[in-house]
Structure formats: C-alpha cells, structure tokens
Amino acid sequence: MARRLRFTGTDSKNGSCPALHEDTGSGEIIVQGTPLTDPDALAQLQHFGPGDAAVVVPRELLVNHAPKEMQRVRKVISLEEFGQLFRTFEYTAWHLETRGGYASDREDLGFDEFLRTGEAPMDLDSDWCTNIRRQTDNGKCVGRVRVVDDPPTDGQRFLLSYARTNAATGEDVRNVWRKDAVRAHLGDEDFWVFDSRLVVVLHFDDQDVLGDLEVITEPAAVLGYCQIRDAAVHLSVPYDEFAAQLRQH
C-alpha cells in the first residue's frame, strides 16, 4: 500500500531540503536531505547495508521538528470538551476546512433554504455565533481557510454563502482553490489550532460524518500544523473576493 506522508517541518528558508515527513500509517519518520556520497565518510558508518542511503541534516532540524515521543498515543475528546475549547482559548482559534462537504451542514434546515434560494440564512443569535462574537469582541482572533474544489460542491457553495455569518461574528474567513492547496502540500486533514499549542484533528468517514476528535499537543507535531496554517493563510483570499472570482470563473 502506498505511503501517506504528512509534512512535519523544515528549517529551510527557501523551501528546499532538509525536511522531515511522517508516515501517518506506520509512524515512521522520513528524513529528506543532501545525500552523503563521500566514500571515506560512508566507510565510517556502522551497519550500513548495500541498500541503505545516508543523508546529512542539521541538528536543529531534528531538535525542532522530530517527534519527542517514542510512541504516539491517540487522545480523543468528546464533543462537549471540544466545544469548551472555543470558550477557554486565550488568543487564537483557527480552522482548515478540507472536505467537499459536511453531513452536519446537509442536515441543517438552512442547507435546504440555500438550495432553494442560493443564499444561506443568517442566525447571529445561535450559541456558536454568540460565543465567537464574545471572543472576538474581547480581542481574540478566530479564523478559517476553506479549501474549494473546481467546480465547487453544493456543500462548499453553501459555506461560501454562510461565510457572511462567520464574518459578522468577527471571524477572518478565507478560501483557497484545492489545486493551490495541493501544490502547497497543505494536506487533507481537517483541523483546528488553538493558541498555537493544541490541535484538534477532525476525523470524518466517507459520508462526511464526524467521527472522533483527536487532540495533539506534542510540540513538534503542533508546529507542523501551524506551518500549514501559515501557508494556507498566505495562499488564500477573503471569502468575498473569492466569491467574486467564482462568479467570473
């Protein structure tokens, strides 16, 4: 079976090697760097087999980006615990939305209204909107980048229309085309980052139904998600500009 790799990090300033990736299935770490080819140096390596390869990487790469845990133990939280994070975060909460749609959206009455009218209803008095508006009014930053297919799915068009509601609560709502997200190696994980120290990965099944909520606090792993966040924000455009692009597309 083909490996599924997740970018872990790099200290490179120009986008080249060295870098680390993790095999999300086996947990193995893939080290990317400059090949060691000097015969005298290779002769000093112990247990170096004929099919082996050696690469040279800075110590800082491993210190900053290599996993600090010998064995990663999945920690799953409840929906109630997840909801509490949106009330207790101190500075920032940010979401990367990567799916073509969400079952929870399709079950919402507002989705049917959108299919009829082309516009999602606004409900600024919902518990979600009330809390997010309270957080942003207190100076906290909430944002998200939504990855959009070409052409967009009904679910993505619904969320693009619903972005008016997100923005009205003080969120920074942005969009990026999937081809650009793929080119930038943003990956396909759907996740929230809280205060750049805690990540919650949202796991979905093939019907877009939310399964479990996995918490990640290991510093090197969190840093990798923060780097994805920074790249996504850089590549994306505000939702209203994106909607205008879409009308001309």
Side-chain angles (χ1 to χ4, degrees):
M1 185 173 66
R3 289 183 182 269
R4 186 175 181 184
L5 303 183
R6 176 173 59 208
F7 174 71
T8 301
T10 180
D11 289 320
S12 172
K13 301 301 187 293
N14 58 13
S16 59
C17 66
L20 295 181
H21 291 75
E22 178 185 1
D23 186 316
T24 59
S26 67
E28 294 173 309
I29 303 302
I30 313 300
V31 181
Q32 170 188 330
T34 304
L36 180 65
T37 58
D38 176 46
D40 291 336
L42 290 173
Q44 299 176 53
L45 298 179
Q46 300 185 40
H47 311 293
F48 192 75
D52 294 342
V55 299
V56 180
V57 298
R59 180 182 294 269
E60 290 80 4
L61 177 71
L62 302 180
V63 171
N64 293 334
H65 303 289
K68 306 304 186 292
E69 302 168 330
M70 287 296 294
Q71 183 176 2
R72 180 177 174 184
V73 178
R74 293 181 79 248
K75 179 182 178 182
V76 175
I77 61 173
S78 67
L79 280 172
E80 291 73 21
E81 292 172 302
F82 182 49
Q84 189 64 20
L85 290 173
F86 293 95
R87 300 181 181 89
T88 59
F89 75 94
E90 295 184 82
Y91 310 110
T92 60
W94 185 88
H95 189 192
L96 179 65
E97 299 185 9
T98 60
R99 302 194 65 81
Y102 297 86
S104 58
D105 289 338
R106 296 193 293 269
E107 294 166 358
D108 192 302
L109 294 177
F111 188 78
D112 292 332
E113 181 175 336
F114 166 77
L115 293 179
R116 292 195 308 271
T117 67
E119 189 168 290
M122 295 183 68
D123 181 12
L124 293 176
D125 294 325
S126 68
D127 291 343
W128 169 266
C129 290
T130 300
N131 176 63
I132 296 301
R133 188 166 56 247
R134 180 186 304 116
Q135 303 296 348
T136 57
D137 285 347
N138 287 331
K140 300 179 186 181
C141 297
V142 181
R144 68 182 75 218
V145 170
R146 289 171 168 146
V147 178
V148 180
D149 292 298
D150 187 9
T153 66
D154 286 342
Q156 291 165 346
R157 292 192 302 108
F158 168 74
L159 289 174
L160 187 57
S161 178
Y162 187 79
R164 296 177 300 115
T165 302
N166 297 126
T169 67
E171 280 198 47
D172 176 30
V173 191
R174 306 174 68 87
N175 291 79
V176 61
W177 290 110
R178 190 172 300 278
K179 61 180 177 60
D180 296 323
V182 170
R183 188 178 301 115
H185 306 290
L186 298 187
D188 57 6
E189 286 188 303
D190 201 287
F191 63 89
W192 279 91
V193 182
F194 297 92
D195 295 328
S196 297
R197 66 173 181 81
L198 181 150
V199 173
V200 178
V201 180
L202 286 65
H203 295 284
F204 295 86
D205 64 18
D206 293 339
Q207 283 72 48
D208 305 316
V209 176
L210 178 63
D212 60 38
L213 300 158
E214 179 184 4
V215 171
I216 296 174
T217 57
E218 202 278 321
V222 171
L223 176 59
Y225 286 101
C226 290
Q227 290 178 320
I228 293 173
R229 174 196 61 197
D230 293 347
V233 171
H234 173 72
L235 290 169
S236 59
V237 298
Y239 79 94
D240 49 353
E241 293 182 23
F242 190 88
Q245 290 181 14
L246 187 58
R247 287 192 291 270
Q248 300 169 4
H249 192 61

